[in-house]
Amino acid sequence: MRKTILTGIKPTGQIHLGNYIGAIKPALELAKEPDYKAAYFVADYHGLTRVHDAEEFRQLSYGIAATWLALGLDPDKVIFYRQSDVPEIFELNWILSCFASKGLMNRAHAYKAIVDSNKRSNKDNDFGVNMGVFNYPILMAADILMFKTEVVPVGKDQIQHVEIARDIAESFNNNYGMTFLLPEYKIQEDTAVLPGLDGRKMSKSYNNTIPLFEEPKKLQKLINKIKTDSMPPEAPKDPDSSVLFMLYKEFASDIEVKQMKEQYINGIGWGVAKKELFHVMNRFIEGPREKYHELMSSPETIDKILKEGAEKARSISAPFLKEIKNKIGFYV
Ligand code: TRP
């Protein structure tokens, strides 16, 4: 039996190169492994905890879907859907919330981080916290448990959420007998942490990102912004401590990397290094960028793909929800 592997991305911001290297690329590689049956989705209801502008929400949601597809997700091989198209998840969300202790939610790190920051600025503990933010881990547990997921590929910041899903599953199972599989998280240890424009990890919260599908001119501009030191062009440079080189490595071929390393050691001007970086990045992005724009200008194509995916998803979720409700004592 193939194991179910499942992950979602919430539409709260523009996808950047760090997301691609750190999350999307490894997830797409896992989906190709014969041992796995993959289910990837747009976590739009999770996005609603933060984005409350309808047009922005719509664009961001399509953006996530178009990104997966442009980067090569094959909807014939991966069950690919929009969370909001699978109503069983939301029924399960309520059921699970009746098995999730409030204390457990109080300890969830995203919520705790807001409370801590409110405390520091002398605000009410729960200032700016809507119940969606508070219940976020329960909806995520529903996403995961609904499909008998065994493996959840996520970033380190999501480990606790997967553990919470296990806790909730166990408390349901203890009460009604074995029902939910206990999911495990999978951290891609070997994937690179991509540095951002300032050298720190590329992340929305540091405001140092390079959007994945940036137009060539803007891409070159952003690359030009990457901080370098004031060494003269002919001075030898250490490739391993250079952000430009770290980025270059992710997009260049082995031979190119080797040659670039030598150029660093022999002395390369930062301007030249930036041009070369642009060249390899743009070469990689070109194809997917075109596909992305094509899809974004044809939302009905995206809708069709997602609807078909939701049908496949519901062929699993609908009978399973029935079984769950039956165990609880609902008339089904
Ligand atoms: N919370 C995840 C994130 O912010 C997104 C997400 C929602 C998710 N539901 C999920 C990830 C289920 C894995 C499985 O990245």
Side-chain angles (χ1 to χ4, degrees):
M1 268 279 274
R2 289 191 300 161
K3 289 184 174 177
T4 296
I5 181 164
L6 171 144
T7 197
I9 299 181
K10 61 178 186 293
T12 50
Q14 246 187 337
I15 297 285
H16 55 73
L17 280 169
N19 298 137
Y20 170 66
I21 297 289
I24 300 178
K25 187 177 170 202
L28 289 172
E29 273 160 18
L30 285 172
K32 287 194 197 128
E33 285 185 19
D35 313 351
Y36 288 132
K37 188 166 70 198
Y40 296 161
F41 66 99
V42 182
D44 48 357
Y45 268 101
H46 277 112
L48 185 61
T49 62
R50 295 239 296 266
V51 180
H52 291 172
D53 176 276
E55 194 41 40
E56 185 190 3
F57 186 67
R58 192 174 295 122
Q59 284 306 316
L60 286 171
S61 299
Y62 278 125
I64 301 289
T67 299
W68 276 114
L69 293 166
L71 292 168
L73 183 147
D74 178 354
D76 289 332
K77 301 219 170 86
V78 174
I79 304 181
F80 182 53
Y81 57 97
R82 201 160 24 204
Q83 185 188 35
S84 60
D85 285 336
V86 184
E88 290 79 16
I89 295 170
F90 303 93
E91 267 193 75
L92 182 60
N93 174 59
W94 179 262
I95 293 171
L96 296 181
S97 72
C98 298
F99 291 85
S101 75
K102 177 168 176 289
L104 187 63
M105 293 306 112
N106 289 340
R107 292 191 291 278
H109 66 74
Y111 170 67
K112 254 179 65 184
I114 304 177
V115 171
D116 289 346
S117 123
N118 281 338
K119 277 187 184 152
R120 278 196 301 274
S121 46
N122 285 324
K123 291 193 184 115
D124 182 84
N125 278 2
D126 284 324
F127 179 80
V129 178
N130 63 52
M131 286 303 291
V133 170
F134 190 69
N135 290 332
Y136 188 109
I138 306 177
L139 180 57
M140 185 158 157
D143 288 330
I144 295 169
L145 301 178
M146 186 83 264
F147 296 99
K148 303 189 175 148
T149 305
E150 279 157 281
V151 180
V152 187
V154 281
K156 288 205 178 77
D157 61 324
Q158 298 295 314
I159 293 177
Q160 189 196 23
H161 285 152
V162 180
E163 285 168 348
I164 289 175
R166 289 175 68 97
D167 278 358
I168 299 176
E170 276 185 319
S171 89
F172 187 99
N173 288 352
N174 284 340
N175 198 75
Y176 296 109
M178 184 51 203
T179 307
F180 295 117
L181 286 184
L182 302 185
E184 284 176 21
Y185 54 80
K186 187 173 178 68
I187 304 290
Q188 296 300 108
E189 294 292 357
D190 51 341
T191 52
V193 172
L194 208 66
L197 298 175
D198 57 359
R200 291 188 289 174
K201 177 186 173 194
M202 190 179 288
S203 158
K204 247 185 329 206
S205 41
Y206 294 150
N207 205 9
N208 65 355
T209 65
I210 301 179
L212 186 54
F213 299 121
E214 199 61 281
E215 294 309 317
K217 269 205 184 116
K218 283 190 86 180
L219 178 62
Q220 179 74 71
K221 262 197 176 154
L222 281 174
I223 290 174
N224 290 342
K225 274 199 199 161
I226 296 175
K227 280 205 192 98
T228 48
D229 57 31
S230 51
M231 285 214 277
E234 63 283 359
K237 308 197 168 58
D238 173 22
D240 296 323
S241 62
S242 159
V243 176
L244 288 174
F245 186 75
M246 275 188 253
L247 288 167
Y248 186 84
K249 261 195 326 206
E250 290 302 319
F251 301 95
S253 69
D254 291 348
I255 299 172
E256 286 170 328
V257 172
K258 208 170 147 240
Q259 286 169 348
M260 185 52 75
K261 208 169 192 162
E262 279 163 21
Q263 278 188 265
Y264 269 70
I265 294 165
N266 296 332
I268 184 174
W270 291 128
V272 178
K274 286 178 172 177
K275 278 221 172 63
E276 292 297 325
L277 175 59
F278 167 78
H279 171 71
V280 292
M281 265 192 189
N282 193 54
R283 179 181 66 192
F284 159 77
I285 296 167
E286 239 162 15
R289 181 171 54 212
E290 202 181 314
K291 184 97 208 286
Y292 173 84
H293 289 303
E294 222 174 272
L295 285 160
M296 286 303 274
S297 63
S298 167
E300 57 294 347
T301 308
I302 301 179
D303 285 333
K304 186 168 172 281
I305 293 171
L306 291 173
K307 286 280 176 208
E308 283 170 10
E311 267 171 46
K312 286 186 218 159
R314 295 193 70 190
S315 74
I316 302 167
S317 60
F320 188 35
L321 181 66
K322 216 170 165 184
E323 193 186 316
I324 295 163
K325 286 171 79 173
N326 202 15
K327 287 196 181 182
I328 297 173
F330 284 109
Y331 173 79
V332 283

